[in-house]
């Protein structure tokens, strides 16, 4: 039986050097299969669905692509964005624990590029979240209820979102978040 083909490197998948460097600093050199399949598609902005078991690298599969598709304050052209500081990516998660884990992974992958990632969820005060939104963020990760609450209060501007991720979409549906998810999606371009 022939040996399985080696997976391409992140750079060979089209990942930008700043993200490749951030992953390399963690000792992550080779993508998992879900990442090798998803990243080339997601980088182009094509809609997609990915499914894999827990622990197989799904967060980096969408997170690396998401981070590559946004413009951060140190990028040329950032000041020319229609609304600099408005979130360009939105990740919806069914639980605060998952939202926090996704945020940690995004922060790791953007440690060289310095994307500003904010986690929002209910059960905590608004002040810190409102302050961060006011200062400007590039990516917002959160639970549907708090995201919708902030959007309805006009504190969360979703008009510049160009990447939208539903993480564990099946669980969000099982938990009854479909109406909130649909309302949030309707507020994005």
């Amino acid at each position: 039986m022939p040996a399985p083909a080696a997976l391409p490197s992140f750079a060979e998948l089209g990942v930008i050097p700043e993200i490749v460097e951030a992953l390399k600093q963690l000792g992550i050199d080779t993508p998992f299969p879900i990442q090798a399949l998803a990243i080339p598609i997601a980088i182009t902005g094509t809609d997609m669905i990915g499914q894999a078991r827990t622990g197989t690298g799904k967060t980096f599969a969408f997170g690396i692509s998401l981070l590559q598709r946004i413009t951060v304050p140190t990028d040329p052209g950032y000041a020319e964005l229609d609304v600099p500081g408005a979130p360009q990516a939105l990740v919806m998660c069914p639980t605060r624990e998952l939202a926090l884990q996704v945020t940690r992974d995004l922060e790791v992958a953007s440690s060289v590029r310095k994307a500003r990632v904010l986690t929002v969820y209910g059960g905590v005060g608004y002040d810190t979240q409102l302050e961060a939104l006011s200062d400007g963020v590039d990516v917002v990760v959160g639970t549907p209820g708090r995201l919708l609450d902030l959007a309805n209060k006009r504190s969360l501007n979703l008009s510049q979102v160009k990447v939208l991720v539903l993480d564990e979409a099946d669980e969000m549906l099982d938990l009854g978040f479909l109406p909130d998810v649909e309302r949030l999606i309707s507020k994005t371009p």
Side-chain angles (χ1 to χ4, degrees):
M1 188 145 100
L7 291 170
S9 69
F10 285 106
E12 290 169 331
L13 293 175
V15 177
I16 60 174
E18 296 90 344
I19 296 173
V20 171
E21 178 59 30
L23 296 172
K24 189 176 291 258
Q25 288 175 5
L26 288 174
I28 302 172
D29 294 312
T30 307
F32 284 112
I34 185 75
Q35 296 162 353
L37 291 169
I39 289 171
I41 296 168
I43 284 174
T44 69
T46 301
D47 291 348
M48 63 174 291
I49 296 173
Q51 185 175 9
R53 289 187 330 270
T54 299
T56 57
K58 290 185 301 290
T59 302
F60 279 153
F62 69 76
I64 289 169
S65 308
L66 174 156
L67 291 168
Q68 184 154 326
R69 294 195 56 232
I70 63 172
T71 305
V72 298
T74 55
D75 288 345
Y78 178 81
E80 284 78 45
L81 292 174
D82 287 342
V83 185
Q88 299 165 59
L90 174 65
V91 181
M92 289 187 243
C93 302
T95 65
R96 100 176 46 176
E97 293 77 20
L98 181 59
L100 289 166
Q101 180 250 309
V102 167
T103 297
R104 282 191 298 273
D105 286 350
L106 292 176
E107 288 172 342
V108 162
S110 70
S111 63
V112 173
R113 193 153 183 247
K114 306 293 185 208
R116 299 167 300 170
V117 183
L118 172 66
T119 315
V120 299
Y121 51 85
V124 297
Y126 285 90
D127 293 345
T128 304
Q129 296 172 4
L130 292 171
E131 185 177 322
L133 288 168
S134 176
D135 290 345
V137 298
D138 306 307
V139 181
V140 175
V141 180
T143 56
R146 179 56 65 98
L147 288 166
L148 188 58
D149 190 28
L150 290 168
N152 286 338
K153 291 179 179 190
R154 299 183 189 253
S155 300
L156 174 60
N157 176 354
L158 297 176
S159 70
Q160 304 304 302
V161 169
K162 54 186 169 186
V163 182
L164 172 69
V165 175
L166 304 178
D167 196 4
E168 295 193 9
D170 54 341
E171 187 174 337
M172 279 196 284
L173 296 177
D174 290 345
L175 294 172
F177 286 129
L178 180 59
D180 287 351
V181 168
E182 288 176 332
R183 284 195 224 33
L184 285 160
I185 291 172
S186 74
K187 294 178 182 295
T188 67

